[in-house]
Amino acid sequence: MCCLCNTKRAMCLLTCGQSIWVCLQEIMKWNGWGYSDSKFLYNKKGQAEFTGKRYRLSGMIIPGLREWMESTFGANLQHKTPAAPILNSSAVQPPTLNEAFLKELKSTGIPFSHDAEDRVFRSHGHCLHEIFALREGKIGRVPDLVVWPNCHNDVVKIVELACKHNVCLMPYGGGTSVSSALECPPEETRSIVSLDTSQMNRILWIDEKNLTAHVEAGIVGQDLERLLNESGYCTGHEPDSMEFSSLGGWVATRASGMKKNIYGNIEDLVVHIKMVTPQGVIEKSCQGPRMSTGPDVHHFIMGSEGTLGVVTEVTMKIRPMPEYQKYGSVVFPNFEMGVACLREVARQRCAPASIRLMDNEQFKFGHALKPQVSSIFTSFLDGLKKFYITKFKGFDPNRLCVATLLFEGDREKVLQHEKQVYDIAAKFGGLAAGEDNGQRGYMLTFVIAYLRDLGMDYYVIGESFETSVPWDRVLDICRNVKARIVRECKDKGVQFPPLSTCRVTQTYDAGACVYFYFAFNYRGLSDPVHVYEQVEHAAREEILANGGSLSHHHGVGKLRKEWMRETISSVGMGMLRSVKDYVDPNNIFGNRNLL
């Protein structure tokens, strides 16, 4: 039943008019990534394919994926570990309800639910251990109640009631966290209420003179861009999770997007924030572009990860939609030359909207995801390109790497910009590798997350994590972290060689963001998640030892908070604690992230 209108959820758009998330819950996986109709699988012929109709890859056969999985991980289609198909409600602990809070909540008319499915859906993000447990039907501490405010004033009422009755509130946006931020603290004895902002999904106004938009914080990225596009505008903020992550979540974690080189990170886009705290509403008095009024209170809010309050409304910079968009790609003889090229592009401040460099293992991985070619001529051209690069130009297939590019803006300027970047690439041995490869690489971003579910079907577990690092440490950190992962897997008894790979995803004047991916076949391990967590912990230690940051944009949550004191100093931790103690003295926002 729809908790908003008490009709069947499949019909709630027609009957109650509520727009997005309650219905999305019905078409999304409860124990995996993304839409239920979209997944990688092996068909009856043993061929890999991607189901559904939502993505460019949907409905296509991927002939190289099976061989890549078998050769990389030692995976075998005969060894399968299927996920629990449905949620067993009896495995969910009954809710601990604060009856006084519930009675007053009913009088407000704000929708709520203590249905097991609603509670479990909002009890987790997408860390490996969270999804692995759900696939096995293991349910830990979950929220006792879910509430759906419809506007800022509803949030004010909920927070006031929570303070009055000592209820623990946990804000919920899109549920894409990869830092354990949404896990309910098992030691929490109070009633836990998940405050789901998904019904706060409107653009309240667009100011075309100042190029700003005032938006409710529960809107998800793809809907924000779609609605702005209808008026001829965009934010340009495209994190990998933009299909599902929310504006409020971006603010709460200091998010970054794939096109930050033109549009900026979330802290560059935000003009004004409204947040409800136990001490009241915090917001600035004007929408000016910059203020010199002491430390910026926005920087207490951005990155606060739900520990201080609920972001309800945000004013963002917007831009007219770009006139022209062009993809591209460059192949380099090795990763070192690719990094040197990206460094020079950053030094000359001519980076395109997106420029991302994959190492050799990621290049092979991306090649394995290439869909089946329907044309003999296309197949011939692909073979010709491969021959030209590897034979005529002498690139080693086991060392070469590829950068994908996206240019946006005025057509004439884009073409000039494109020439400048390709000229720089040529100085580092780079060869133009075509628009198709660039576009395919960019679009694969949105389907790669689905691969982890396929891996777990066949005893393969994996994860990604990121850091930011100065330019002079990029090569060292890439080499040392990948080697540490391989060494730790061997020491921990992993019987198959792991995948350990990286890519440079965002560039700055003084450094870059580096993403690491690692995965391994866990057959023969009695507690694979524990082994995985030990390896990831060691990899994070290696990152910090090599001058990398604790996180570039995923945030801290509960997963990485043990390193916070080392990262920002004891004094810095004291400052954060002081803010928490003043704003939320009774720990109403008790998710225990960060601190």
Side-chain angles (χ1 to χ4, degrees), residues 3 6 56 60 83 138 143-144 186 287 424 465 467 474 500 535:
C3 42
N6 293 322
R56 287 178 56 129
M60 293 187 177
K138 297 177 181 178
D144 301 296
Q287 306 252 349
I424 294 171
F465 51 93
T467 184
V474 169
S500 181
V535 176

Side-chain angles (χ1 to χ4, degrees), residues 532-575:
Y532 164 80
E533 290 176 339
Q534 288 180 307
V535 176
E536 185 187 30
H537 188 279
R540 181 60 59 183
E541 292 276 10
E542 191 70 29
I543 284 172
L544 297 175
N546 280 269
S549 68
L550 187 55
S551 176
H552 173 261
H553 62 270
H554 281 171
V556 176
K558 291 177 268 294
L559 189 66
R560 290 177 274 274
K561 71 177 184 177
E562 68 177 273
W563 291 287
M564 275 292 283
R565 188 174 301 277
E566 174 186 345
T567 298
I568 65 170
S569 79
S570 295
V571 174
M573 285 293 287
M575 291 172 69

Side-chain angles (χ1 to χ4, degrees), residues 271-272 284-298:
V271 175
H272 186 268
K284 294 180 181 179
S285 63
C286 75
Q287 306 252 349
R290 188 179 187 276
M291 298 166 66
S292 178
T293 50
D296 191 341
V297 294
H298 283 173

Side-chain angles (χ1 to χ4, degrees), residues 228-244:
L228 285 174
N229 289 173
E230 289 173 2
S231 298
Y233 297 102
C234 68
T235 68
H237 187 70
E238 293 187 6
D240 293 1
S241 61
M242 71 171 291
E243 296 173 282
F244 311 114

Side-chain angles (χ1 to χ4, degrees), residues 211-213 224 235 247 250 266 269-271 314-318:
L211 285 180
T212 54
L224 174 59
T235 68
L247 172 57
W250 299 344
I266 193 66
L269 288 164
V270 165
V271 175
V314 181
T315 305
M316 297 183 74
K317 300 174 189 175
I318 59 175

